Amino acid sequence: MVKHIVTFKLQGTADERLEVAKRFKTALEALPQQIDVLQSIEVGINENPAEQWDVVLTAIVPTMADVETYAKHPAHVAAAGLLAGHKADRACVDYVC
């Protein structure tokens, strides 16, 4: 099993970032029904104003190869597209557990 953990820093006002984060969260949470290799996904929106990152996700897939399958799936690409023009930064960790 692989945990794919990604965090995003968004651009814009606090209200703009929150609206984008909510749309992104909704799109991501629909992905397990659309992507066979995606066993689960959890998405959180940061509520701590002292922190710099806005969204975090933890996706679980069976293998490292499935991380790429998930990433290239059209439904994932569409969800990621919601961040176009809003993403300031991204950090990712993939690990086998």
Side-chain angles (χ1 to χ4, degrees):
M1 174 171 63
V2 176
K3 287 194 178 182
H4 172 71
I5 301 172
V6 186
T7 186
F8 297 91
K9 189 182 299 183
L10 304 176
Q11 302 177 97
T13 67
D15 288 341
E16 290 168 341
R17 293 190 331 267
L18 180 58
E19 182 58 33
V20 170
K22 286 179 179 178
R23 288 196 315 265
F24 186 51
K25 179 180 184 348
T26 298
L28 290 175
E29 290 175 338
L31 294 180
Q33 292 79 34
Q34 301 172 61
I35 303 174
D36 290 340
V37 299
L38 184 56
Q39 295 175 338
S40 68
I41 193 165
E42 181 179 355
V43 184
I45 297 173
N46 182 34
E47 295 187 26
N48 183 346
E51 296 299 331
Q52 300 293 315
W53 296 88
D54 295 290
V55 180
V56 65
L57 72 89
T58 302
I60 298 177
V61 297
T63 69
M64 285 300 296
D66 292 324
V67 173
E68 186 172 346
T69 300
Y70 156 75
K72 291 182 176 181
H73 191 283
H76 174 265
V77 172
L82 295 173
L83 296 184
H86 302 284
K87 184 173 61 175
D89 206 353
R90 175 188 180 274
C92 177
V93 174
D94 295 315
Y95 68 93
V96 177
C97 49

